[in-house]
Amino acid sequence: MGTQKPKYMEVADWVLSQIENGTFKEGERLPSEHELCLRFHLNRQTVRHAIDVLEQKNLLTRIQGSGTYVGSERRTERLKRYYNIAVVSTYVDSYIFPSVLKGIEQMLSKSGYTMQVAFTGNQVEREGEILRKIVDKGMIDGLIAEPAKSAIPNPNLHFYQQLKKQEIPVLFINSKYQTLDMPYVSLNDAQVGEKAAEYLIGAGHRKLGGLFKCDDGQGHLRYLGFIRALEKAGLKADGRNVLWMDSESQTDMEIWSDYLFERLSGCTGLVCYNDEVAYRFAAICKDRGIRIPEDISIVGIDNSELSLIGEVPITSFPHPMESLGKKAAKNMIKLIENPSFEAGYLFDSEVVERNSVKVISLDRT
């Protein structure tokens, strides 16, 4: 007659099987003792004994006030909660970022977290200084970062990789470094670039120009969508009608405006990288006696206050701003609780029509 298996072994064997088949992954929190009691119809003392046995085998780690996690005690330090998230953003006073940060703060505060904020000014050197301090100091549960000049080679990637080795989750916002396998929450830039060009094409425009940023990943993706829309419409993509600028030359458009208008000669519609570019372009047009939308139609991206304050309100595609911040914070919290969580997310956007686009064809199919 065989010996009956102890009750606690039912729980231990089940947890072990869930670990072996990958259902419970390294660093993931187990169901609570109460949940296990209900599942196996056992008392808490028996369930606790099963957890103790697995913990002694270095298969689980119990963290007081947090729960029980898959993994040995070497993970205890990482699993310790500081309830503090580091947030690195490019600008403090740009029209998008205050709302994004507001969304992050609201969601983190609601969940009991604080945040420490630093700004790079979209400068790679400053980003490196900030990341070095974050890595050296530690005492954070995660990092939400907007990359500096995400489209160009970056000397700071090893800091992000160090955080990954320390098992501190990193979540990018607005863009990401393509060589890093880390999630990001952003506007769907390729899609919105495509929609902006399609809007102009639908209004009858057949020769389009584009003004994009070369040092940020968003600019490349918006250009990709722009080209995709032209190809779908059977229109020729003329490289002379696409201009690239970096963060510095974006603020100096007046200086190179002769070259700008030479390249855009013959274009009836223009997709602008964002509302700031559209606003600056519109101001230069006014100085030159070029009428919007009669002489050239423009579409911006962000639907910011800048799309409203010019002489002609600008048609634009909204950036999710505060919603993006909330989503990033919510997904970061989920990443902390479950390192296997798929934290990436792209926001859709629909056009807000204003007066900056002239319909030159009644057929808007």
Side-chain angles (χ1 to χ4, degrees):
M1 185 173 180
T3 304
Q4 187 176 6
K5 181 186 292 187
K7 292 290 186 182
Y8 76 89
M9 286 301 298
E10 293 182 30
V11 181
D13 287 347
W14 178 79
V15 172
L16 183 59
S17 69
Q18 300 302 299
I19 295 173
E20 290 176 344
N21 67 25
T23 301
F24 293 159
K25 296 178 174 60
E26 184 84 358
E28 188 171 339
R29 187 166 58 184
L30 259 62
S32 67
E33 290 180 1
H34 177 68
E35 290 171 322
L36 291 173
C37 289
L38 294 177
R39 173 183 282 273
F40 292 96
H41 305 289
L42 297 173
N43 60 43
R44 180 161 290 186
Q45 183 177 356
T46 303
V47 168
R48 192 167 293 168
H49 183 41
I51 300 300
D52 289 341
V53 169
L54 294 175
E55 188 174 20
Q56 290 169 13
K57 294 180 178 180
N58 290 324
L59 295 172
L60 300 178
T61 299
R62 185 184 282 119
I63 306 297
Q64 186 174 1
S66 179
T68 301
Y69 295 81
V70 176
S72 62
E73 288 194 27
R74 66 185 176 82
R75 302 179 61 87
T76 301
E77 184 61 29
R78 188 194 72 79
L79 295 170
K80 180 180 179 181
R81 293 290 183 86
Y82 298 99
Y83 287 93
N84 182 35
I85 304 297
V87 179
V88 177
S89 183
T90 51
Y91 299 108
V92 62
D93 55 356
S94 183
Y95 55 81
I96 286 178
F97 303 102
S99 295
V100 174
L101 293 175
K102 178 182 177 182
I104 293 174
E105 194 280 329
Q106 285 180 346
M107 184 57 65
L108 291 180
S109 178
K110 182 179 178 181
S111 302
Y113 286 82
T114 58
M115 73 175 188
Q116 59 185 65
V117 185
F119 302 96
T120 67
N122 205 27
Q123 297 299 315
V124 173
E125 298 79 9
R126 178 60 180 154
E127 178 191 42
E129 295 170 5
I130 292 169
L131 291 174
R132 182 179 294 107
K133 291 178 182 179
I134 289 174
V135 170
D136 290 345
K137 184 178 179 181
M139 299 182 68
I140 60 170
D141 298 304
L143 168 65
I144 297 174
E146 182 185 31
K149 299 188 176 181
S150 54
I152 63 177
N154 187 291
N156 301 320
L157 301 188
H158 64 286
F159 289 120
Y160 295 107
Q161 291 164 337
Q162 279 182 261
L163 290 170
K164 185 176 182 179
K165 287 180 181 178
Q166 295 171 11
E167 300 182 1
I168 295 174
V170 176
L171 177 66
F172 290 112
I173 55 173
N174 288 326
S175 188
K176 65 174 291 188
Y177 297 113
Q178 293 302 317
T179 57
L180 294 181
D181 184 22
M182 295 176 180
Y184 77 120
V185 174
S186 173
L187 178 65
N188 190 332
D189 290 296
Q191 183 185 70
V192 79
E194 183 173 358
K195 285 185 174 183
E198 286 178 340
Y199 185 83
L200 287 167
I201 293 168
H205 297 270
R206 293 296 178 265
K207 188 171 183 182
L208 304 186
L211 268 173
F212 301 103
K213 281 189 69 178
C214 61
D215 53 354
D216 287 343
Q218 300 98 307
H220 290 246
L221 290 172
R222 292 171 188 180
Y223 167 75
L224 176 65
F226 171 84
I227 293 298
R228 196 159 59 199
L230 291 177
E231 291 176 346
K232 284 169 61 177
L235 300 176
K236 181 181 178 181
D238 189 342
R240 279 195 53 82
N241 300 140
V242 175
L243 290 97
W244 295 91
M245 57 194 152
D246 60 16
S247 299
E248 288 69 32
S249 59
Q250 176 181 335
T251 60
D252 297 327
M253 287 176 60
E254 177 62 46
I255 296 175
W256 52 280
S257 59
D258 288 342
Y259 175 72
L260 168 64
F261 285 98
E262 178 187 339
R263 290 279 298 272
L264 294 177
S265 177
C267 293
T268 64
L270 178 68
V271 173
C272 297
Y273 169 75
N274 62 12
D275 288 346
E276 181 180 357
V277 170
Y279 174 78
R280 292 180 183 276
F281 178 81
I284 297 172
C285 285
K286 181 181 178 182
D287 291 341
R288 289 174 172 250
I290 298 171
R291 301 169 301 163
I292 295 175
E294 291 84 0
D295 299 322
I296 188 167
S297 295
I298 61 174
V299 174
I301 295 172
D302 289 338
N303 194 38
S304 67
E305 291 181 1
L306 289 177
S307 67
L308 296 171
I309 64 176
E311 186 174 88
V312 178
I314 298 169
T315 293
S316 187
F317 285 80
H319 184 287
M321 299 189 192
E322 189 171 326
S323 295
L324 185 147
K326 289 180 178 179
K327 185 68 173 179
K330 182 178 180 180
N331 284 8
M332 170 54 71
I333 294 168
K334 289 184 177 180
L335 261 181
I336 293 169
E337 296 174 348
N338 176 13
S340 300
F341 175 68
E342 296 291 336
Y345 188 85
L346 298 179
F347 284 86
D348 194 3
S349 184
E350 298 297 334
V351 68
V352 176
E353 297 180 299
R354 298 195 177 93
N355 302 329
S356 64
V357 175
K358 175 184 177 181
V359 178
I360 58 177
S361 170
L362 295 179
D363 180 12
R364 300 196 57 177
T365 58

